[in-house]
Amino acid sequence: MPEGNGVAIKRKIHPGSGRRKAPKEPRGRVLEPEAGEEVAALLGERPRRSDLLIEYLHLLQEGYGCLHARHLQALGEELRLPMAAVYETASFYAHFDIVLDGEAPPAPVTVRVCDSLTCELFGAAELLQRLPDALQEAGLGETVRVLRAPCMGRCDTAPTCEVGHRHLDLATPDSIVAAAEEASRLGESHPLVPPYEDLQSYRDGGGYELLTSCRSGARSITGVIDLLADSGLRGLGGAGFPAGQKWRLVAQQPKPRLLAVNADEGEPGTFKDRYYLERWPHRFLEGMLIAACAVEAERLFIYLRDEYPAVQAILERELAALQEAGLLQGVTVELRRGAGAYICGEESAMLESIEGRRGYPRHKPPYPSQVGLFGRPTLTHNVETLYWVREIVERGADWFSSQGRNGRKGLRSFSVSGRVKEPGMKLAPAGITLRELIDEYCGGMSEGHSLKGYLPGGASGGILPAHLDNIPLDFGTLEEFGCFIGSAAVVVLSDQDDLKQAALNLMRFFEDESCGQCTPCRVGTEKAVKLMRAPEWDIPLLSELAETMRDASICGLGQAAPNPLLSILRYFPQDLERP
């Protein structure tokens, strides 16, 4: 049998030896010297650590336009990882393009069109259908590829797309073609970085004085934690765990302790963290450094959505400014990018990704506060929670807790999109109702549209009907109706929308984004999509399937995926009669 690259080698057994002879040539893929030199040059003086695998895959993708198999092999050699480990990680994330031997690389320019719920409401399907012909007519058929993509966190300007690394809001075929022509001509496309408050401007307004007082002991860290606890500040990424209590739990664990920030807000309908990071990044960064001081964490990680290239540029610039100004004081902050995996918004999957692996959720307990990153106690927070730290400490716990309505406490950042006149990020009292939110903050319903239903907490938070528009929107108020507020992503639906189709859109998203680790979620979402595409739904079977997914899935993705489906069955039976 011929020996060679990637071909099994037939070996003879020496009589009586009980051992195999060494093959004449190495087994598996043989490292190409040129590929090894290219990868070594690309990495330069960067450390060769396995937890940096995903960052280095990004470098390869950006440097060569894709991930060639020869480079994956060379990267594995540099990091002392087997090819299987490199490949399984690279193939897990949607934004990495792996090119095997003999395959053609992807087109130089990639256009990703969001097809999540809000963008679908505003014509994403038609845009995806028209775009290939428009690009062909412009002579870009060979140099541009079009992909459908999940939510990009720009729902208030739907439909949206990304051309290279540049987002287009209110996208049209003409605007996409123009952007693709520019990207093809220049060979790259940089993100548009909006105006924001930089370090000097922030310090002029008293920024980092609170951090300095905490570090010097002028302000008691215990007092800061007590203030956060008294204010009622909770985790605002979706889980809602009390922030002060979490700080205390982590501070009680043995050192060394770490901190990980979840800036991977992939929940369809959510864009509040992007809103804050693109305007006031230092509010968040100071809150993060105060949290690190409180739990005595010296290594900090910010896990950022790859769909937020402008935020990446801002954070890289401002973290460098903090380092130069001496405000990090021995604290190491590492910015890590995701690569297109919604599941990494789940905190333990995020930790796996930061460690350079597939984003598989971990079984709990133990919890990250006990065993987190690299096996160490880890404080995990989302962006908005840390954004409020300075404001609460300076203005007092009573100020924050007094902001609510209908018996609730605090403020909520609602990402509002859909059939309203003025979509966007709305800072409103916790406990506000949907009707109040639309009338007072969104200018009312869109012209010619009447409220039919709404998503109170993004794709996984379920769908409520119009007659329940008076429920206070907050943690713990929606569960009896089969929904939850989550990240406070509100998508407003009208009498002109097919809610059966909306539920199918959401289930397709969960099918695409299931990590595949557990069978109830992996198979359940796929089966649900097939059943929901049928002209008539098999309600008993769908109900049984939903129950299995909720009871047996490992993490919140599979457990919450049936919520939109169950909402349709419960609140919108009339939509099931539509063909």
Side-chain angles (χ1 to χ4, degrees), residues 431-481:
I432 194 171
T433 67
L434 187 277
R435 176 52 62 188
E436 293 169 338
L437 186 64
I438 292 175
D439 291 344
E440 298 177 29
Y441 290 83
C442 302
M445 293 290 295
S446 297
E447 206 66 44
H449 291 263
S450 299
L451 179 65
K452 181 176 182 179
Y454 65 101
L455 282 67
S460 57
I463 307 174
L464 290 171
H467 72 269
L468 293 179
D469 64 353
N470 59 346
I471 304 172
L473 298 176
D474 197 15
F475 297 108
T477 62
L478 302 168
E479 282 74 5
E480 64 179 291
F481 303 99

Side-chain angles (χ1 to χ4, degrees), residues 126-140:
E126 182 182 357
L127 193 59
L128 280 163
Q129 186 176 7
R130 294 173 55 192
L131 200 50
D133 289 340
L135 291 168
Q136 195 70 38
E137 291 173 6
L140 298 172

Side-chain angles (χ1 to χ4, degrees), residues 134-437:
L135 291 168
Q136 195 70 38
E137 291 173 6
L140 298 172
E142 300 300 319
T143 59
V144 178
R145 63 171 177 165
V146 178
L147 302 176
R148 69 179 184 91
C151 186
M152 297 179 182
R154 310 183 79 85
C155 315
D156 53 333
T157 54
T160 189
C161 80
E162 187 179 19
V163 180
H165 291 298
R166 179 167 295 185
H167 284 99
L168 295 179
D169 297 330
L170 305 173
T172 65
D174 289 343
S175 66
I176 295 173
V177 167
E181 286 178 332
E182 180 181 6
S184 298
R185 184 174 67 255
L186 299 178
E188 57 185 344
S189 58
H190 297 291
L192 295 172
V193 178
Y196 67 92
E197 185 180 45
D198 63 11
L199 176 59
Q200 188 58 55
S201 298
Y202 183 68
R203 296 189 78 177
D204 290 344
Y208 292 103
E209 291 179 4
L210 176 59
L211 172 65
T212 301
S213 66
C214 289
R215 284 174 169 169
S216 68
R219 181 178 285 273
S220 163
I221 282 294
T222 301
V224 170
I225 296 176
D226 290 341
L227 270 172
L228 294 183
D230 293 343
S231 72
L233 179 66
R234 303 175 70 165
L236 297 172
F241 194 85
Q245 183 179 345
K246 182 180 282 192
W247 289 22
R248 289 192 183 109
L249 288 172
V250 175
Q252 293 169 1
Q253 301 299 315
K255 296 181 181 179
R257 309 178 193 112
L258 307 176
L259 186 150
V261 179
N262 193 339
D264 192 278
E265 57 171 359
E267 184 72 24
T270 310
F271 48 88
K272 62 183 178 64
D273 288 351
R274 176 184 62 80
Y275 180 89
Y276 287 122
L277 290 170
E278 288 184 346
R279 289 163 177 79
W280 305 286
H282 286 283
R283 282 271 175 183
F284 150 68
L285 290 171
E286 184 173 14
M288 176 186 72
L289 292 173
I290 292 170
C293 181
V295 301
E296 298 181 79
E298 295 182 357
R299 290 186 70 192
L300 286 61
F301 298 83
I302 303 173
Y303 188 80
L304 179 66
R305 290 195 78 186
D306 195 35
E307 290 88 345
Y308 288 175
V311 175
Q312 178 191 341
I314 290 170
L315 289 179
E316 287 176 345
R317 187 182 303 166
E318 297 310 308
L319 286 171
L322 283 175
Q323 180 68 40
E324 186 176 351
L327 287 167
L328 295 184
Q329 290 193 5
V331 172
T332 301
V333 182
E334 296 189 38
L335 181 61
R336 298 291 184 88
R337 283 178 289 173
Y342 165 75
I343 189 63
C344 292
E346 195 275 338
E347 63 175 357
S348 66
M350 173 189 69
L351 301 182
E352 288 288 306
S353 189
I354 291 174
E355 292 182 9
R357 295 189 290 271
R358 294 172 292 180
Y360 276 177
R362 299 174 180 176
H363 292 276
K364 300 174 186 177
Y367 296 96
S369 58
Q370 302 163 309
V371 181
L373 268 175
F374 311 113
R376 302 309 310 165
T378 304
L379 177 64
T380 59
H381 267 311
N382 90 303
V383 169
E384 191 196 353
T385 305
L386 296 172
Y387 174 89
W388 286 113
V389 169
R390 177 190 166 190
E391 193 90 359
I392 290 172
V393 174
E394 290 184 344
R395 302 183 70 168
D398 291 342
W399 165 80
F400 187 78
S401 62
S402 66
Q403 299 294 317
R405 288 189 190 176
N406 299 309
R408 314 306 296 179
K409 294 183 178 181
L411 293 166
R412 293 288 175 270
S413 300
F414 293 93
S415 305
V416 185
S417 64
R419 308 300 190 179
V420 293
K421 289 181 180 177
E422 300 170 11
M425 205 292 291
K426 312 295 180 179
L427 183 60
I432 194 171
T433 67
L434 187 277
R435 176 52 62 188
E436 293 169 338
L437 186 64

Side-chain angles (χ1 to χ4, degrees), residues 47 49-57 79 334 336 354 356:
R49 301 199 322 253
S50 62
D51 64 290
L52 292 167
L53 172 59
I54 294 172
E55 282 300 303
Y56 295 161
L57 290 173
L79 302 181
E334 296 189 38
R336 298 291 184 88
I354 291 174

